[in-house]
Amino acid sequence: MTAEIVYTSRTGNTELLAEEIRKLAESLPGPDRNVLVRKLGEPEKNGLESDGPAERGDWIFAGFWVDRGDCGGEMIRFLESLRGQRVFLFATAGSGSPDYQEKVMNRVLSHVDASNQVAGTFMCQGKMLPGVRGKYEAILQREPESEQAKARIRNFDRALFHPDQEDLEALRAAVRRAFV
C-alpha cells in the first residue's frame, strides 16, 4: 500500500495532523507499506514529482488550513488534478464551530472530481496566528459592546490549545474508519 500525504500548513497545525497520519499509516499491518509525505510549495521529497496529475498511490491524504472559508489555491489546484483516487481530506480551522467546519469541508469537496472516492474527512480547531487576536481586540476597542468581537477573542484563546490529544485521537479514529 502506498499512502501519499500532501498538505499545506501555515501555523504547524495541519503539519501536526499530517505527521499523525504518517505514523498511523506506517503502523498498519500489511505488506509493502510505503508512506510519502510532502508539504505543497516545498521542494519535492519522497519521490513525489509534481502537484499535478501523476501516477499516484493507493491513498491520497490531502490536508489544509482553512483560508477564508476554503483551502488555499495550491491545495485547490492539487485537489482538482486528482482523478480516480481514494482521497481522505483533513484540515484545521481557527473556528471550533461544527457548522462552520461542515460548510468549509463541503466547499473543499467541490474541488474534488467525481471520479475520486472520498473515503473520509476530518477537521479540528487549530491555533491562529498571533496577529488575529489583535484584530479582534481592535474591533472591541472601537465597539466595546460587540458580542461578536468578544466571542471571537474567546474562540482565539480556546484555539491556542488545539490540535490537542483529543483532536489527534479523533483524527486517528477517522483514518481507521476510512481504512475499513
Side-chain angles (χ1 to χ4, degrees):
M1 179 205 83
T2 300
E4 293 184 40
I5 303 167
V6 179
Y7 68 96
T8 60
S9 186
R10 190 167 180 192
T11 60
N13 298 326
T14 309
E15 186 170 16
L16 178 66
L17 299 184
E19 178 60 19
E20 198 65 28
I21 292 170
R22 182 197 61 76
K23 289 189 286 189
L24 179 60
E26 287 177 345
S27 74
L28 292 172
D32 302 324
R33 185 87 42 217
N34 191 15
V35 181
L36 310 171
V37 181
R38 176 169 53 117
K39 183 174 181 179
L40 285 179
E42 290 190 351
E44 306 305 330
K45 296 177 188 174
N46 302 321
L48 293 172
E49 297 302 321
S50 74
D51 292 346
E55 183 75 22
R56 295 285 177 201
D58 302 311
W59 284 87
I60 305 293
F61 291 89
F64 58 93
W65 58 281
V66 175
D67 183 13
R68 297 181 185 155
D70 204 341
C71 57
E74 282 182 304
M75 183 55 68
I76 289 172
R77 287 186 294 282
F78 176 77
L79 293 174
E80 289 177 346
S81 77
L82 298 175
R83 298 290 183 274
Q85 299 296 144
R86 194 170 343 174
V87 179
F88 184 97
L89 298 174
F90 64 99
T92 57
S95 173
S97 162
D99 290 339
Y100 174 75
Q101 291 179 359
E102 182 179 358
K103 287 176 186 174
V104 170
M105 193 58 77
N106 287 335
R107 191 170 297 121
V108 172
L109 285 165
S110 74
H111 304 301
V112 179
D113 186 79
S115 69
N116 297 295
Q117 174 195 354
V118 178
T121 64
F122 176 81
M123 187 179 299
C124 69
Q125 189 169 26
K127 61 187 131 308
M128 295 173 257
L129 294 172
V132 173
R133 192 176 202 283
K135 291 178 186 177
Y136 299 154
E137 289 170 341
I139 292 169
L140 192 58
Q141 200 167 26
R142 288 190 311 271
E143 304 169 36
E145 300 304 316
S146 173
E147 290 304 318
Q148 185 178 30
K150 292 174 187 176
R152 287 182 175 181
I153 290 170
R154 284 191 302 274
N155 178 69
F156 180 93
D157 292 343
R158 275 191 307 273
L160 289 172
F161 303 102
H162 290 273
D164 62 14
Q165 286 305 312
E166 189 175 310
D167 297 325
L168 297 178
E169 184 51 46
L171 171 66
R172 289 188 292 269
V175 171
R176 283 187 202 104
R177 280 192 302 276
F179 273 109
V180 173

